Amino acid sequence: MIYEYALDPKLVVDWAVNRKGNVVGQFGMDQRRLVSDFPQNWAGEVIGAFYEHFGYDDGSLEFQNAQPELQSYVQWLSEFTFPRDVKRSGDQAWFSEALAEHGEYPFYAIMTAKGNGVECRQVITPDVVDDIRDVRWYLPTISTTKKSAEDLATVMEPMLRGATYIVLVDPYFDASDARYQASFSALIRHACETRVKGRGLPKLTVMTGIEQKHKPHEGEFTREAMARVADDLRVKAQRDIPKFLPTGMSLDFFCLKHPPAGDPLHNRYVLTDIGGVIVPYGLAEYKPDEVHEAKDDLMPMPKGIYSERHHQYVKKVGIDIVLGPIRIVGSAK
């Protein structure tokens, strides 16, 4: 769904010097191709390679002509990157270190100027954009996803395993519901057990709603009644969530209500610092019977939708919080 590319800093410099920006625009959240922040502070590596290319003569006309181009490329490519937290050793070229890193924790592809004679299927050059049959660049079509806990987590794993934080927004989330327990457990497992070396555990947030627990025959949904519903959800969360979280990992739990203005609670999202996914029918596992299978249309968020929903649920702007944050600490072995 989201794909990580290691991109040679010297290649970006070459594009800037020769004004070849056609490939640059094909990276980013809307294209599902994210540049790996490898090594750590990849953008700084590009700037360093640029100065080295010009012999550190920032007064030359060629340097000054190419610098604005490079800055725009770096800004575009580094707006959303896939974090790695791996520092350069300093005694090898970028390509050699990228190959070594790929051997331990694979990238989707490594793009460099030339193949360097290395027999590695995942090493590509910019020429790949001319071959529409090459799945290393022309990515697989997004397909429907089975509503099993494992399938939901597997589809989102490339995003979850590199995320610094994960925010689950589902107004029907109930920690006591076995269907939510199954999918929540799978999401946590995929987020934690597949992480790149050196990456700490992600910060977790769960946001659920209270309206789904109130029936019309119960009369007016007063603030006091809202607080009671929220507290019941809190009790369930504090009782049942810790067994799914690794020891030392924590989660912030929120209960929301429909805001007096703006979007009512309905849509379900998974938001991270890498990207987001729209989950139309929610995060609960659903298996109708042994013969039939349920599917959902999980979609990676385009940049515009991501920016708005991130502002709403991660920055917490325009939402009505009834309860939270409630800090829940993991106890799983």
Side-chain angles (χ1 to χ4, degrees), residues 78-232:
S78 61
E79 182 177 14
F80 297 100
T81 57
F82 198 106
R84 281 267 173 167
D85 292 346
V86 177
K87 296 180 180 180
R88 281 285 299 272
S89 66
D91 57 355
Q92 295 186 69
W94 177 89
F95 182 72
S96 297
E97 293 199 15
L99 279 178
E101 176 73 6
H102 179 72
E104 290 191 38
Y105 189 81
F107 303 102
Y108 185 71
I110 301 171
M111 180 176 275
T112 187
K114 298 178 181 178
N116 294 297
V118 174
E119 293 296 325
C120 177
R121 168 65 183 164
Q122 297 314 115
V123 174
I124 59 175
T125 68
D127 294 337
V128 74
V129 301
D130 295 323
D131 186 356
I132 62 172
R133 299 165 299 177
D134 198 320
V135 296
R136 296 172 300 176
W137 188 255
Y138 290 90
L139 302 173
T141 299
I142 298 172
S143 301
T144 55
T145 303
K146 294 179 183 178
K147 285 286 290 179
S148 74
E150 193 62 26
D151 283 292
L152 289 170
T154 298
V155 166
M156 290 188 273
E157 180 184 298
M159 179 181 75
L160 298 173
R161 70 186 184 186
T164 303
Y165 57 83
I166 301 169
V167 179
L168 307 179
V169 181
D170 188 326
Y172 292 87
F173 182 92
D174 185 334
S176 67
D177 187 326
R179 301 172 306 140
Y180 278 106
Q181 290 182 0
S183 57
F184 180 78
S185 175
L187 287 172
I188 299 305
R189 187 174 68 256
H190 281 255
C192 297
E193 294 181 0
T194 63
R195 296 182 79 72
V196 66
K197 178 181 63 178
R199 290 289 288 161
L201 295 175
K203 178 182 177 182
L204 293 175
T205 299
V206 169
M207 292 183 168
T208 188
I210 57 171
E211 270 83 5
Q212 44 92 7
K213 294 294 184 182
H214 179 73
K215 306 297 185 292
H217 70 267
E218 296 173 348
E220 181 186 357
F221 201 19
T222 64
R223 202 74 190 190
E224 291 76 17
M226 293 178 190
R228 288 194 296 271
V229 170
D231 196 58
D232 180 63

Side-chain angles (χ1 to χ4, degrees), residues 8-75:
D8 193 333
K10 290 185 178 180
L11 184 58
V12 181
V13 172
D14 179 71
W15 290 341
V17 170
N18 295 289
R19 295 182 177 271
K20 296 179 179 179
N22 60 312
V23 183
V24 174
Q26 296 186 49
F27 285 97
M29 190 175 290
D30 287 343
Q31 288 72 31
R32 299 191 290 147
R33 304 183 189 95
L34 294 187
V35 174
S36 179
D37 190 30
F38 175 82
Q40 193 176 49
N41 188 24
W42 174 85
E45 290 281 329
V46 176
I47 300 300
F50 182 70
Y51 274 86
E52 182 181 359
H53 177 84
F54 287 100
Y56 301 94
D57 181 10
D58 58 2
S60 70
L61 181 61
E62 292 81 3
F63 179 97
Q64 294 177 11
N65 286 338
Q67 189 176 35
E69 202 78 8
L70 182 87
Q71 289 173 337
S72 65
Y73 290 1
V74 170
Q75 181 178 357

